[in-house]
Amino acid sequence: MLFAVDLFDEGTARGLVERLVRVLEVVAADPGVRVGEIDVLGEVERARVVGEWNATEVVLPGGSMVERFEGWVAAAPDVVAVRCGEVALSYGELGRRANRLARLLVGVGVGRESRVALCLARSVDVVVAELAVWKAGGAFVPLDPEYPADRLGFVIADSGAEVVLGTSESLAG
């Protein structure tokens, strides 16, 4: 078998040939077969890809995202948690800002099952707002402030968002 030794090792070259032969055999047996119906992988290769390579089980600690975040705040309050451009927030500062905004959201009625539309340009404020919504018990609906106003209005109405959070710039449209 000839192959480009600068591109492939022998095992890879053989694997490619085996897959090609497998596809050609299926097509020769049934010329009307759809390409998406052809199983390119052999049994051994499928077991390796699906079983061995995909064996990514990891035991995760319990608790909600907010609880896990509070653990990070307690463990490393001065470590940078989020950065966007030149702006960086530590876990402690991110937690303080999110708590302040969460109290405001609760004050306007956000709670369990509430949806809050976030119309914010990419910044650390997006992360603060997402965390604040979770802390208030709600779910956030991301809005791209670059979208036309009628599209944003449709998403807000369709999502059932009770509150829209943004800046004067992002809500100007």
Side-chain angles (χ1 to χ4, degrees):
M1 177 171 71
L2 296 174
F3 59 92
V5 293
D6 57 327
L7 297 176
F8 304 103
D9 60 41
E10 186 174 349
T12 301
R14 286 193 187 283
L16 290 170
V17 169
E18 288 170 8
R19 287 185 213 103
L20 176 61
V21 168
R22 194 174 298 115
V23 169
L24 293 174
E25 287 173 344
V26 171
V27 172
D30 180 7
V33 70
R34 292 186 169 166
V35 174
E37 296 172 354
I38 300 173
D39 192 0
V40 177
L41 302 178
E43 288 182 36
V44 172
E45 191 173 20
R46 175 169 302 289
R48 184 174 49 237
V49 170
V50 174
E52 293 174 34
W53 293 354
N54 201 27
T56 57
E57 298 88 14
V58 175
V59 177
L60 297 175
S64 69
M65 183 62 200
V66 171
E67 291 167 336
R68 293 183 66 196
F69 174 78
E70 292 303 333
W72 297 326
V73 171
D78 298 323
V79 173
V80 172
V82 62
R83 178 185 315 272
C84 184
E86 299 297 315
V87 180
L89 297 180
S90 67
Y91 281 103
E93 181 61 21
L94 176 57
R96 284 188 290 280
R97 288 187 186 190
N99 288 340
R100 194 167 43 245
L101 182 55
R103 285 191 296 275
L104 177 79
L105 291 170
V106 168
V108 297
V110 173
R112 191 177 198 96
E113 305 291 324
S114 297
R115 286 178 274 320
V116 178
L118 302 179
C119 189
L120 297 165
R122 292 176 193 238
S123 66
V124 297
D125 294 334
V126 173
V127 179
V128 171
E130 291 172 351
L131 187 56
V133 171
W134 286 338
K135 285 178 172 248
F140 63 85
V141 178
L143 299 175
D144 186 337
E146 299 295 318
Y147 282 4
D150 58 338
R151 172 73 178 144
L152 295 175
F154 171 79
V155 173
I156 292 166
D158 190 53
S159 70
E162 302 155 22
V163 174
V164 177
L165 186 62
T167 62
S168 56
E169 295 84 24
S170 67
L171 297 175

